[in-house]
Amino acid sequence: MSSWCLKFPSNSPVTHVAANTLPHLTIPAVVTVTCSRLFAVNRWHNTVGLRGAPGYSLEQAHHLPIEMDSLVANNTGSNKRQITDLVDQSIQITTHCFVVTADNRYILVCGFWDKSFRVYSSETGKLTQIVFGHWDVVTCLARSESYIGGDCYIVSGSRDATLLLWYWSGRHHIIGDNPNNSDYPAPRAVLTGHDQEVVCVSVCAELGLRVHVWSTPSQGTYYGLWRGQTTILCPRLISVSSEGHCIIYYERGRFCNFSINGKLLAQMEVNDSTRAILLSSDGHNLVTGGDNGVVEVWQACDFKQLYIYPGCDAGVRAMDLSHDQRTLITGMVSGSIVAFNIDFNRWHYEHQNRY
């Protein structure tokens, strides 16, 4: 399977990747953010889809599917691509610190010393909204699927051991429904029950069901059974499918698949220090990547390995899938992104025939 690599001038690790590539968007793009909070809006060319599909272009067919942000490539307007507001020094910049709206026009960032999270325009880099609500530093953000018009739910987790549920207005491009009251938006819900900081969060709003899943370092997290011993493990990454299955990656290479009511369905251990996990849109496949630079594809229900991509020369920090589920884009420690062709149907049929 072929792959492409795009190297940014900055050597800062690419810690967040958001592939909003629907053809009807004004700017279909892959938005990337580095650990130094330099972001790029990299235009997407729909060259991977089938000939004749919406957005397919013969003129672009020989080009790479991703065009590097010209302001970043030419270093002509990089000030428009730099988030300069200082985050709390105790915050480790990870993919959980960022959310990109479905139209690629705004980036939400957390981790600031004043206990806020903030909204920035991806076009100008300017701050457009500051949102307060937590009593301590906001440690993670997540968004739901977007509705018609771009509305979606945003969940923020904090060291105050709470989660707040917010509503993003795609019409007004703000948190909240009232543009006249954008300075003081109110959360739709306050979720409590933890006694330590929230470290990762995922939200799924499909089929009218709103599922909020979160994890904390020790108390309040799941108990895993490893080699016959009950151990409390620190969760690092989380991904939830529309079917209600929850994949959690814990420290020291441990994975668990839980049902929506907390029943353990499957578990595995890997040697790599995983930094990014991702479920396919149907929830059947899990993609993982980590410090050893290897991207692997698993069957989500039982963690059977389906494919291993050739190793990259740098570790993986973030990943996302194009809307058509045919291109996987990974953010690398080296300050580059690597795009892989991917075909989940192939592995599905191969697995059916094999078993």
Side-chain angles (χ1 to χ4, degrees):
M1 293 189 179
S2 58
S3 62
W4 308 268
C5 182
L6 208 61
K7 177 69 175 72
F8 295 107
S10 166
N11 290 320
S12 180
V14 176
T15 192
H16 187 80
V17 175
N20 297 308
T21 60
L22 277 168
H24 68 73
L25 292 176
T26 304
I27 304 177
V30 175
V31 178
T32 58
V33 189
T34 70
C35 284
S36 60
R37 298 183 304 288
L38 181 71
F39 67 90
V41 183
N42 310 287
R43 285 184 175 269
W44 172 261
H45 301 298
N46 189 22
T47 62
V48 183
L50 297 175
R51 188 169 301 212
Y56 183 88
S57 169
L58 282 174
E59 295 177 2
Q60 296 173 350
H62 63 282
H63 294 302
L64 298 181
I66 304 167
E67 177 187 341
M68 186 183 296
D69 189 323
S70 59
L71 292 183
V72 173
N74 302 327
N75 205 25
T76 53
S78 56
N79 60 311
K80 290 185 177 182
R81 297 293 190 250
Q82 180 72 58
I83 297 170
T84 56
D85 295 344
L86 296 178
V87 297
D88 190 280
Q89 288 187 341
S90 64
I91 284 288
Q92 182 180 2
I93 301 297
T94 68
T95 189
H96 302 299
C97 296
F98 307 96
V99 159
V100 178
T101 57
D103 58 6
N104 294 314
R105 295 179 62 183
Y106 294 89
I107 302 173
L108 285 65
V109 185
C110 71
F112 298 101
W113 61 272
D114 63 359
K115 309 174 182 61
S116 71
F117 67 90
R118 306 183 182 190
V119 183
Y120 297 86
S121 165
S122 64
E123 182 180 355
T124 65
K126 291 183 177 179
L127 176 66
T128 62
Q129 190 179 20
I130 302 178
V131 182
F132 295 98
H134 286 284
W135 294 96
D136 207 335
V137 174
V138 181
T139 51
C140 54
L141 295 170
R143 78 164 171 88
S144 70
E145 312 79 27
S146 288
Y147 302 102
I148 295 175
D151 292 5
C152 65
Y153 287 99
I154 301 290
V155 176
S156 58
S158 168
R159 285 183 182 158
D160 65 11
T162 68
L163 293 105
L164 301 183
L165 176 68
W166 310 86
Y167 196 75
W168 171 263
S169 170
R171 177 184 177 187
H172 301 298
H173 310 297
I174 58 169
I175 295 286
D177 301 311
N178 186 358
N180 298 322
N181 195 32
S182 61
D183 291 339
Y184 304 100
R188 290 287 180 93
V190 179
L191 308 176
T192 61
H194 299 294
D195 53 13
Q196 292 196 27
E197 74 173 279
V198 181
V199 297
C200 52
V201 59
S202 181
V203 55
C204 179
E206 288 189 349
L207 305 176
L209 175 68
R210 291 195 271 281
V211 182
H212 314 290
V213 186
W214 55 89
S215 307
T216 56
S218 58
Q219 293 151 334
T221 189
Y222 291 106
Y223 287 77
L225 291 174
W226 305 103
R227 298 192 181 93
Q229 297 180 345
T230 302
T231 309
I232 300 178
L233 297 170
C234 179
R236 298 298 185 191
L237 302 165
I238 190 169
S239 187
V240 178
S241 75
S242 58
E243 297 177 348
H245 289 179
C246 175
I247 306 290
I248 297 180
Y249 170 72
Y250 295 89
E251 58 190 350
R252 301 196 296 275
R254 281 80 183 272
F255 279 87
C256 283
N257 181 1
F258 292 96
S259 68
I260 196 171
N261 59 4
K263 180 181 179 182
L264 179 62
L265 303 176
Q267 57 185 318
M268 74 168 174
E269 294 185 54
V270 298
N271 294 325
D272 189 17
S273 179
T274 302
R275 300 284 186 170
I277 65 174
L278 182 68
L279 282 168
S280 58
S281 60
D282 59 11
H284 294 162
N285 300 105
L286 172 70
V287 187
T288 65
D291 286 345
N292 66 5
V294 175
V295 173
E296 299 177 76
V297 184
W298 314 80
Q299 190 165 269
C301 62
D302 55 8
F303 295 128
K304 287 183 178 177
Q305 192 175 68
L306 300 176
Y307 193 78
I308 304 176
Y309 283 90
C312 300
D313 57 0
V316 177
R317 285 292 181 88
M319 60 175 61
D320 201 5
L321 282 162
S322 61
H323 177 73
D324 61 9
Q325 302 282 290
R326 296 176 67 89
T327 306
L328 173 72
I329 302 100
T330 60
M332 314 300 289
V333 173
S334 57
S336 61
I337 55 175
V338 178
F340 299 92
N341 281 341
I342 195 164
D343 184 0
F344 293 115
N345 289 330
R346 167 192 164 186
W347 296 313
H348 175 69
Y349 293 127
E350 281 185 0
H351 183 81
Q352 277 190 333
N353 294 333
R354 192 182 309 158
Y355 297 100

